[in-house]
Structure formats: C-alpha cells, structure tokens
C-alpha cells in the first residue's frame, strides 16, 4: 500500500480551506452564479429532449430554442393559473379581515379554556407584534422591491443562459475531458453522465411529486370545505420543493387563510391533513420517486438548505439539493473524495 504524500490533518485543512474559499466566492458572486446555476440545472434537464430533437433533424439552435420556449410556456401557464387564484383571493381580502378577527376571537377563547391564557396577555403580545411589524415596514417594502427586481432579472437571464448552454454543451463536456490527463478521462466521462442522469431524474421526479402532493392537498382541503383549496394545494406543492422546511411554511399559510375563512376547528383539521400528506410524501413518495436517484441523507439536506438560504437567499434553498447531489456524484467518481461521498449519502443497510 502506498503511503500518503501528506499527513491527514494537512489534507483535511487544505480541503476545509478550499470549501471556505468556494463558499466565500459563492456569496460575493451571488448575482452572477445564481442564474448560471439555475440555467445549468435546466440545461441538464433539457439536454435529453434537445438531443432527441437534434436526432430528428433539428439543428442545434432550433432544438435549443424549441426546448426553452416549451419550458417557458409551461412556466407561464403555471404562473397564470396561480395569478388567477390570487386574484380571486384578493377580491375577498376585505371579508377575510373580519373573518380573521372572528378566528382570533375563537382562538383566544380556545386558549383561555384549554390553557387558561388571559385576555390581557394576548392583547399585549399582539400589540407588541403589531408595533414590531410597523417599525420594520419600510425594510419589508425595500426588500420586496429588491426581490421583485431580482426575479424579473432572473426571468430574463436564465432562459438566455439555458439556450446558450444547450448549444455549447458539447464544448463544455469536451473542455472537462481535456482538462485532465488521459488516465482520468474515463472518470470524467462517467461523472458527466451520472450528473446528467441524477439531475434529469431529480427534476422529473420532483415534477411528479409536486403534482401528486398538490392533488392530495387540494382533495383533502376540498373535503373540509376550504374555499381556497386549489391555491393552497399549489402553494403547498411549490413550497414542498424545499426539503423538510417548506412544509412548515405551507402549514402556516394554510392555517392563516383557513382560520380566516372557515374558523379555527377547520384550520386545525387542515394542519392535520397537511401533516399526514407530508408523512406520506416523506416516507413513500420522496424515497420512491426522488430519493432513489438523489441519495442524500436528511442531516446533510437540512444543513445545505439552511446554508443555501444564508448564501443565496430563497434561490439557494431551491438549488441546494441538486447542487449537493452533483457534488456527491463528483465525490463518488473521484478516488480521493469517496469518503466525502459516503458522508453525504444515505445510510445503506449492512449485510450480515
């Protein structure tokens, strides 16, 4: 067995230092890297249909343009449908204010009867919460405007980047292969193929999972008689993209809307239904549809989602899982980084 060229502590220090430098560069280069990473994920997902169109006689430019346009049409239809639901919700906002106050009164009575919480303490807490929200209102408006501007910029840049990456994807693969010695070219080729397979499977599986979750939430809330069941189902499915953390946001939004329209008892039942759907999704749908392709353990998933939010904000939460999946493929395909691939991956059952 060959001895290591450097001591373990030196190798570990160099790798940790490299990780810190990479994270710092990701933080300061957020404006450029986020749309590039989004476009890269879409490119890996669209590479197969684009190649299929090229095999049918389309040239590269036309095939790439067709795939990007079809993707934009699908996204536009989803946004249009959500906007229609939001428009109906906006019309009922004046009614919701009155119903929300009634829901608060019911909630106050419930807390007083069950937990002996006094009315004065609740009023004091709500007044403090209102003062805090008003004091930060200007900051919220500024943040909202900045976020809207960033979203519009992403909607312009991501399709352009995706189109260009689809055209030049062959050159990128060739560049990666030529950047290493001949003895490593086979490893590089396998890593590229596995990356394409994992991301394509992840994007496709995630789409199927979102449809199933949206359908289950819509059906469950419709049975309860929740007015905005379709809107809440779509929002719940979209928020479910964020592993483990998105479901809590969906539950909070559903609770607030349901308590405003249907009362506290229905709101509590809605939380129960969403929790059951989340259990079905986490234990059945996610492992079978998505988890079989992206084998990342839960601890790493939660850590990278929080880290992604701290570095890149909301887009970082969505990008964290596919990026860590790509990193795991690279670690599994590299001899010196296989232990890191084991650390990132899900626990496998040991043979007796």
């Amino acid at each position: 067995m060959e001895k290591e060229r450097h001591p373990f502590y030196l190798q570990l220090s160099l790798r940790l230092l490299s990780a810190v430098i990479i994270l710092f560069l990701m933080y300061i280069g957020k404006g450029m890297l986020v749309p590039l990473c989004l476009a890269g994920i879409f490119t890996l997902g669209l590479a197969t249909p684009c190649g299929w169109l090229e095999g049918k006689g389309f040239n590269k430019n036309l095939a790439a343009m067709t795939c990007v346009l079809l993707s934009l049409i699908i996204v536009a239809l989803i946004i249009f449908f959500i906007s229609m639901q939001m428009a109906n919700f906006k019309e009922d906002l004046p009614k919701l204010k009155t119903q929300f106050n009634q829901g608060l009164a019911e909630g106050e009575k419930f807390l007083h009867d069950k937990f002996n919480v006094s009315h004065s303490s609740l009023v004091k807490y709500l007044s403090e919460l209102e003062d805090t929200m008003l004091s930060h209102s200007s900051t919220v408006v500024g943040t909202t405007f900045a976020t809207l501007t960033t979203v519009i910029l992403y909607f312009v840049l991501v399709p352009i980047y995706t189109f260009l990456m689809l055209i030049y994807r062959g050159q990128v693969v060739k560049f990666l292969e030529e950047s290493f010695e001949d003895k490593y070219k086979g490893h590089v080729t396998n890593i590229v193929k596995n990356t394409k397979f994992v991301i394509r499977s992840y994007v496709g599986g995630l789409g199927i999972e979102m449809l199933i979750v949206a359908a289950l939430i819509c059906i469950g809330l419709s049975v309860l008689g929740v007015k905005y069941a379709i809107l809440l189902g779509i929002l719940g499915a979209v928020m479910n993209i964020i592993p483990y953390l998105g479901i809590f946001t969906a539950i909070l939004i559903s609770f607030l809307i349901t308590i405003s329209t249907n009362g506290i008892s229905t709101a509590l039942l809605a939380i129960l239904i969403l929790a059951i759907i989340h259990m079905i999704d986490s234990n059945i749908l996610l492992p079978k549809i998505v988890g079989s392709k992206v084998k990342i353990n839960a601890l790493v998933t939660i850590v990278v989602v929080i880290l992604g939010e701290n570095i890149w904000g909301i887009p970082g939460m969505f990008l964290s899982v596919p990026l860590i999946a790509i990193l795991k493929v690279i670690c599994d395909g590299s001899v010196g980084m296989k232990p890191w691939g084991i650390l990132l991956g899900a626990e496998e059952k040991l043979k007796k």
Side-chain angles (χ1 to χ4, degrees), residues 78-147:
I78 295 174
I79 294 176
F80 175 76
F81 186 76
I82 294 177
S83 300
M84 294 295 294
Q85 295 295 317
M86 290 296 293
N88 296 332
F89 178 72
K90 184 178 179 181
E91 293 176 357
D92 289 339
L93 279 178
K95 300 178 182 178
L96 291 178
K97 183 178 180 180
T98 303
Q99 293 173 343
F100 183 72
N101 291 331
Q102 294 176 355
L104 284 179
E106 293 180 10
E108 180 184 342
K109 184 177 182 301
F110 175 80
L111 291 175
H112 178 72
D113 295 340
K114 298 296 182 181
F115 303 101
N116 198 26
V117 179
S118 64
H119 173 75
S120 59
S121 60
L122 283 174
V123 172
K124 181 180 178 181
Y125 174 75
L126 291 175
S127 62
E128 292 176 355
L129 181 61
E130 182 179 1
D131 294 338
T132 303
M133 293 178 64
L134 289 176
S135 64
H136 293 84
S137 59
S138 59
T139 305
V140 171
V141 171
T143 304
T144 303
F145 179 76
T147 303

Side-chain angles (χ1 to χ4, degrees), residues 280-296:
I280 295 173
D281 175 52
S282 300
N283 295 285
I284 299 177
L285 298 179
L286 190 64
K288 296 295 183 182
I289 300 176
V290 180
S292 59
K293 313 296 189 305
V294 185
K295 296 181 179 180
I296 306 296

